[in-house]
C-alpha cells in the first residue's frame, strides 16, 4: 500500500454543496443555511423557552458575526447558542445549547456529495487503508456525526477530528499532530486530501504528510504544491492503487 492512512477534509472535498438543485427534492446548502432561524425558533418553542421572534431574528446574525470575528475557526455552534440564550435572558444550559446547536446546523444531503464519493471511500477501505476525517468547522462533533450518518458515510471514518472540538485549526501544526496521534500512522505514510492550499495542502505537507488536492477554480493556480491533483473521486482511487 502507498499509505497507511488517508485523511479527508469535508466541505469542498467530500461535499460539493452545489448552488443549484440537481433534480432532487432536497434543498441546496444555501437554502438550509437560510432556514437556520426557523429551526432555532422551533427548537426554542419545543424547549418552552419564551422569546421574541423579532429579537431572535436581529441578534442571531449579530452574534454570528461577533463570535466568528473573535474566534475564527475555534468556535462551535454550541458556543454560539449559549450566547443566543444569554442574549435572550435564559440560562445558557448545556442541554439547551446542544439541542439548539444541532437545530442550527441543519441537515446535509447525499445529493450534495461530489460524484463517486461513496464508491471512492469503499474502494480505499477495500485496499486496507485507514480512512479518517479532519475538518475546520464550527459544527459540533455530535452534529457532524449525525450528518455523516444521514448521508451513509459515517462508518468509513475510523477517527474524526474537528477544530470546534479540539480548539485547534488547520494549518496549525498542532492540529495535524492530533490527527497523527489519532490515526496512529506515521506522517510519511499518511495522505491528506483537501481543497484549500493554505489549510489543507501547505498545512499537511508542513506536518510531513503527502497531500492530494481536489481541483476547483480557486486553487488551480497553486495546484503544483500538492503531490497529486484530481477532479473526480475515481481519479484519486486510481492513483492510490498505482504501484
Amino acid at each position: 500500500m502507498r499509505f497507511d492512512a488517508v485523511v479527508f477534509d469535508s466541505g469542498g472535498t467530500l461535499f460539493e454543496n452545489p448552488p443549484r438543485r440537481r433534480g432532487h427534492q432536497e434543498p441546496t446548502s444555501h437554502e438550509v443555511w437560510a432556514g437556520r432561524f426557523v429551526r432555532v425558533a422551533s427548537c426554542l418553542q419545543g424547549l418552552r423557552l419564551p422569546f421574541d421572534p423579532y429579537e431572535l431574528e436581529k441578534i442571531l446574525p449579530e452574534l454570528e458575526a461577533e463570535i466568528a470575528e473573535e474566534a475564527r475557526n475555534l468556535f462551535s455552534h454550541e458556543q454560539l447558542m449559549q450566547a443566543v440564550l444569554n442574549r435572550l435572558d435564559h440560562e445558557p444550559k448545556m442541554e439547551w445549547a446542544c439541542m439548539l446547536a444541532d437545530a442550527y446546523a441543519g441537515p446535509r444531503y447525499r445529493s450534495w456529495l461530489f460524484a463517486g464519493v461513496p464508491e471512492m471511500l469503499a474502494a480505499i477501505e477495500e485496499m486496507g487503508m485507514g480512512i479518517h476525517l479532519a475538518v475546520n468547522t464550527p459544527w459540533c462533533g455530535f452534529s457532524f456525526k449525525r450528518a455523516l450518518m444521514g448521508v451513509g458515510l459515517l462508518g468509513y471514518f475510523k477517527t474524526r477530528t474537528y477544530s470546534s472540538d479540539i480548539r485547534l485549526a488547520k494549518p496549525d501544526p498542532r492540529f495535524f499532530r492530533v490527527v497523527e496521534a489519532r490515526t496512529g500512522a506515521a506522517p510519511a505514510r499518511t495522505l491528506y486530501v483537501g481543497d484549500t492550499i493554505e489549510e489543507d495542502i501547505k498545512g499537511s505537507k508542513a506536518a510531513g504528510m503527502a497531500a492530494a488536492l481536489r481541483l476547483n477554480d480557486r486553487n488551480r493556480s497553486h495546484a503544483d504544491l500538492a503531490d497529486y491533483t484530481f477532479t473526480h473521486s475515481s481519479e484519486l482511487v486510481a492513483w492510490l492503487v498505482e504501484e
Side-chain angles (χ1 to χ4, degrees):
M1 292 186 297
R2 180 173 294 193
F3 300 103
D4 296 321
V6 182
V7 185
F8 284 92
D9 176 47
S10 178
T13 303
L14 299 175
F15 288 90
E16 185 178 10
N17 299 340
R20 289 177 294 276
R21 299 188 184 190
R22 297 168 165 169
H24 297 270
Q25 294 300 313
E26 294 90 352
T28 65
S29 56
H30 176 76
E31 290 168 335
V32 168
W33 169 250
R36 68 198 186 283
F37 166 77
V38 174
R39 293 193 301 273
V40 171
S42 296
C43 190
L44 285 167
Q45 290 175 333
L47 291 169
R48 298 184 179 181
L49 297 175
F51 68 99
D52 181 340
Y54 297 103
E55 183 184 7
L56 178 61
E57 194 168 15
K58 177 178 180 291
I59 68 172
L60 189 55
E62 289 178 356
L63 289 171
E64 287 170 344
E66 288 175 16
I67 293 177
E69 176 64 26
E70 190 176 293
R72 304 292 179 181
N73 285 319
L74 300 180
F75 81 99
S76 70
H77 290 164
E78 173 264 315
Q79 290 175 289
L80 174 60
M81 290 302 108
Q82 284 187 313
V84 167
L85 288 166
N86 268 322
R87 192 72 68 87
L88 294 174
D89 294 323
H90 293 301
E91 183 180 351
K93 289 185 177 181
M94 185 66 73
E95 301 97 315
W96 293 343
C98 287
M99 287 189 67
L100 289 165
D102 207 32
Y104 177 86
R108 285 190 171 184
Y109 292 94
R110 197 173 176 91
S111 62
W112 296 3
L113 294 170
F114 279 100
V117 162
E119 294 81 2
M120 171 185 69
L121 296 177
I124 294 173
E125 184 178 67
E126 182 67 23
M127 288 182 235
M129 302 180 204
I131 304 174
H132 307 267
L133 193 72
V135 185
N136 280 358
T137 181
W139 280 50
C140 300
F142 55 81
S143 296
F144 225 114
K145 179 180 179 180
R146 181 259 303 158
L148 291 171
M149 184 181 297
V151 300
L153 299 186
L154 180 64
Y156 289 112
F157 300 107
K158 292 187 173 183
T159 69
R160 303 183 305 278
T161 302
Y162 308 115
S163 61
S164 57
D165 286 353
I166 67 170
R167 298 297 190 267
L168 295 169
K170 301 176 291 184
D172 190 325
R174 294 173 296 172
F175 179 95
F176 289 98
R177 285 200 290 272
V178 171
V179 174
E180 177 188 348
R182 289 182 173 183
T183 65
R189 296 285 298 167
T190 301
L191 174 69
Y192 190 88
V193 185
D195 69 299
T196 65
I197 298 299
E198 292 296 327
E199 296 175 353
D200 298 333
I201 303 307
K202 290 184 178 180
S204 61
K205 289 185 70 66
M209 301 175 182
L213 178 70
R214 186 184 281 276
L215 291 170
N216 58 44
D217 292 339
R218 298 182 303 278
N219 63 31
R220 289 180 186 276
S221 61
H222 295 90
D224 60 311
L225 296 174
D227 297 292
Y228 180 72
T229 62
F230 66 103
T231 56
H232 193 280
S233 305
S234 61
E235 296 170 356
L236 181 63
V237 174
W239 180 66
L240 287 171
V241 299
E242 289 179 1
E243 295 295 334

